[in-house]
Amino acid sequence: MTDPRYNYGPDNPQYPQHQGQPQYAYGQGEPQYPHGQGEPEPKVNVGKLWAGGLGTAVVAALLVVVAIMLIRGVLGIAILSPEGAGAYGTVSTTSYAIAAAGAALMATALLMVLLLAMPSPLTFFTWICLLLTAVAVILPFTLVADLDAKIATAAINLVVGLCITTMLSSVGSAAQNTPRQAGY
């Protein structure tokens, strides 16, 4: 704390002046912000957003692996590889998990753009992700495969899409730097 009996500002004749720098009157040449709070925080905490996006990518990839192991190992439905390939399947399972992680990272990039540019970013993000999830659920039914494999793939796509949408909506809400209002 400072002692109110002493003048610590530039009005004090003993206030140190830096040599070689232009001298401005107090507050002149400096950006002015309301209420003397200093520079305002950026609208989005990018570090928090991308950390949450990376976490979501890991969860989405692991969710695909667990779902395929459940569907192939427990339910015995040949999804993404022939029946004799075991509970994990083949390299296509790994590709599917990597694609889910990539979708989560692309959704994070979309969320960042929306947070920086849109008036109601989380509403737009949720709608875009839900519509893309609907496309991913419908897509397996356009391919040539057994009906049970189509249903299983659509179910995995639905669960992963909902996981990415809900997790990143929460991350986007937490990454916004909005001033908190007093009260409830």
Side-chain angles (χ1 to χ4, degrees):
M1 275 194 111
T2 60
D3 189 348
R5 294 177 290 168
Y6 294 97
N7 183 4
Y8 290 101
D11 296 334
N12 183 352
Q14 296 178 345
Y15 186 74
Q17 300 293 327
H18 297 286
Q19 298 297 328
Q21 293 183 351
Q23 304 302 315
Y24 297 105
Y26 181 68
Q28 190 180 22
E30 300 173 7
Q32 297 296 313
Y33 300 104
H35 310 294
Q37 297 172 351
E39 291 188 40
E41 291 185 14
K43 187 176 180 183
V44 178
N45 185 334
V46 177
K48 189 181 284 189
L49 177 70
W50 280 100
L54 287 173
T56 302
V58 170
V59 169
L62 290 174
L63 184 59
V64 165
V65 171
V66 168
I68 289 176
M69 291 180 73
L70 173 72
I71 290 170
R72 289 186 54 77
V74 176
L75 301 178
I77 298 172
I79 181 174
L80 299 179
S81 60
E83 288 184 29
Y88 182 78
T90 60
V91 73
S92 59
T93 301
T94 305
S95 300
Y96 197 180
I98 291 171
L105 293 176
M106 288 190 326
T108 304
L110 171 68
L111 179 58
M112 186 170 113
V113 169
L114 292 175
L115 285 171
L116 293 173
M118 299 298 285
S120 182
L122 295 178
T123 302
F124 285 101
F125 176 77
T126 302
W127 271 98
I128 291 169
C129 284
L130 289 177
L131 290 171
L132 289 173
T133 300
V135 169
V137 168
I138 294 169
L139 187 64
F141 294 104
T142 65
L143 304 173
V144 178
D146 294 334
L147 183 61
D148 55 353
K150 291 178 182 181
I151 293 171
T153 305
I156 292 172
N157 291 348
L158 176 66
V159 171
V160 170
L162 291 177
C163 170
I164 291 171
T165 302
T166 57
M167 289 185 78
L168 286 181
S169 291
S170 296
V171 167
S173 179
Q176 288 180 321
N177 288 332
T178 55
R180 302 194 187 266
Q181 297 179 4
Y184 293 95

